[in-house]
Amino acid sequence: MAAVGVAAPGRRRAAPSGAARYRRWWVPYLFLLPGLLAVLVFSLWPFVNTVILSLTNARVLQGGSFVGLNNYGRALHDPAFWLAFRNSMLYAVVCVPVLVVLPLLLALLVKDRIPGIGFFRSAYYTPVIASSVVVGLMWQWLLASDGIVNTVLRRLQLVGSPVPFLTDSTLLLLSCMVVTVWKGLGYYMVFYLAALGNVPAQLYEAAAIDGAGAVRRFRHITVPSVRPMMLLVGTLSTISALRVFTEVYILGGRGGGPGGEAKTLPFLIRDLGVGYRGLTGYASAIGIILFLVTLVFALAGRRLGREEA
């Protein structure tokens, strides 16, 4: 007697019916559930809560009453907000072009597979994986009045007195930009290495045969080939520049530099929200303004990318 439930040899198992498949429609969502819960708990709910808080006069550990758009109007008339907004925009204007161009040049230097090139790729990428706090402390030590940079400048007799990298508001902001660029070069270099790997080598060979020099090959082959990646790098570096906090906090101290002149929007949000004033509602409103500004740049980059495609 044949065993029950064993299919006959050579006979395929019948595919499940449409009704059976319909009864199991929830199975894929079961696998997505942990990720969806993480997004809901750690991203969506904090954002919704920030929007709600921005419409209240809440303070730290205290509830608040509904004030509508008063916090947004307050921000638009607050000199501290406009100073931080100017610094954040200046940060993006200076850092983004540098982070679009320099990593591309760096990628061109290390793209060829030659002996020992892996060491240089790793060396350029090391700042990316280093802790932002450690990097900030290292540069604080380098740029101090008695640090290595000032010592070298005085030894070379290029300056008579120490350069106030960390005590002058303008130089402090520029120093923070240098740290941001230095830390981000290797990250965006990897993006360009991936893009350059997709450029056919025959294009460069044909251009060289036609007598095109390195500059012309770069202008007419490299740049057009990696332009979509340049737009992506520009968008990502803009978002990163608008969110900068650690560099200013470490190099400029808790006050954001002399007189607080080097504060950026994230620094101001932290200062208002968790500082001695604890203006949670007002800080949330500035956070939403920063989100909207970032969203505008992100959407602009996406539109340019679609036009490029």
Side-chain angles (χ1 to χ4, degrees):
M1 184 174 181
V4 178
V6 179
R11 181 177 299 176
R12 295 182 180 179
R13 177 177 294 180
S17 64
R21 288 196 299 268
Y22 179 76
R23 285 195 297 270
R24 295 200 298 267
W25 64 267
W26 48 268
V27 173
Y29 295 97
L30 184 63
F31 290 98
L32 292 175
L33 184 60
L36 292 176
L37 288 176
V39 171
L40 179 64
V41 173
F42 297 106
S43 296
L44 184 59
W45 167 242
F47 175 76
V48 173
N49 190 49
T50 301
V51 174
I52 296 173
L53 286 173
S54 71
L55 303 175
T56 68
N57 58 0
R59 302 178 69 91
V60 174
L61 302 179
Q62 297 180 11
S65 57
F66 181 78
V67 295
L69 300 177
N70 288 355
N71 286 326
Y72 296 92
R74 177 180 177 180
L76 297 180
H77 293 88
D78 187 356
F81 167 78
W82 286 112
L83 174 62
F85 183 84
R86 184 203 67 181
N87 289 339
S88 292
M89 293 298 106
L90 182 62
Y91 217 99
V93 168
V94 174
C95 290
V96 171
V98 178
L99 286 174
V100 169
V101 176
L102 279 187
L104 174 57
L105 300 179
L106 198 61
L108 290 173
L109 290 176
V110 300
K111 72 180 182 67
D112 295 325
R113 295 181 178 274
I114 58 177
I117 200 63
F119 168 78
F120 292 98
R121 290 183 178 182
S122 301
Y124 294 144
Y125 193 78
T126 299
V128 178
I129 60 177
S131 168
S132 297
V133 175
V134 173
V135 169
L137 291 173
M138 182 190 71
W139 279 92
Q140 184 185 53
W141 174 63
L142 290 173
L143 299 175
S145 58
D146 57 347
I148 294 179
V149 174
N150 272 309
T151 300
V152 171
L153 292 177
R154 289 198 303 269
R155 292 279 179 88
L156 296 176
Q157 298 183 353
L158 297 177
V159 296
S161 58
V163 180
F165 290 112
L166 306 180
T167 55
D168 180 84
S169 59
T170 302
L171 290 178
L172 172 60
L173 198 60
L174 290 174
S175 300
C176 294
M177 294 175 186
V178 170
V179 176
T180 299
V181 170
W182 178 79
K183 196 174 189 310
L185 279 176
Y187 179 70
Y188 298 115
M189 177 195 72
V190 174
F191 283 65
Y192 283 124
L193 283 174
L196 290 172
N198 294 325
V199 181
Q202 294 83 352
L203 294 177
Y204 291 103
E205 295 172 359
I209 293 174
D210 291 339
V215 175
R216 291 186 62 186
R217 293 198 298 270
F218 176 78
R219 286 183 54 191
H220 298 289
I221 298 178
T222 304
V223 172
S225 300
V226 302
R227 187 175 289 120
M229 186 60 70
M230 295 176 73
L231 292 173
L232 176 61
V233 170
T235 302
L236 294 178
S237 58
T238 300
I239 295 173
S240 178
L242 293 176
R243 295 172 51 199
V244 68
F245 168 78
T246 306
E247 292 88 335
V248 179
Y249 184 80
I250 298 297
L251 295 183
R254 295 185 178 182
E261 295 291 321
K263 289 182 179 179
T264 57
L265 282 176
F267 197 107
L268 180 62
I269 293 169
R270 175 262 172 197
D271 197 30
L272 292 171
V274 300
Y276 66 92
R277 284 173 286 183
L279 302 175
T280 307
Y282 184 41
S284 298
I286 297 178
I288 296 301
I289 294 175
L290 176 59
F291 165 75
L292 294 175
V293 172
T294 305
L295 182 63
V296 168
F297 282 103
L299 292 177
R302 182 180 181 183
R303 181 172 182 179
L304 290 174
R306 285 182 174 180
E307 293 177 356
E308 185 65 27

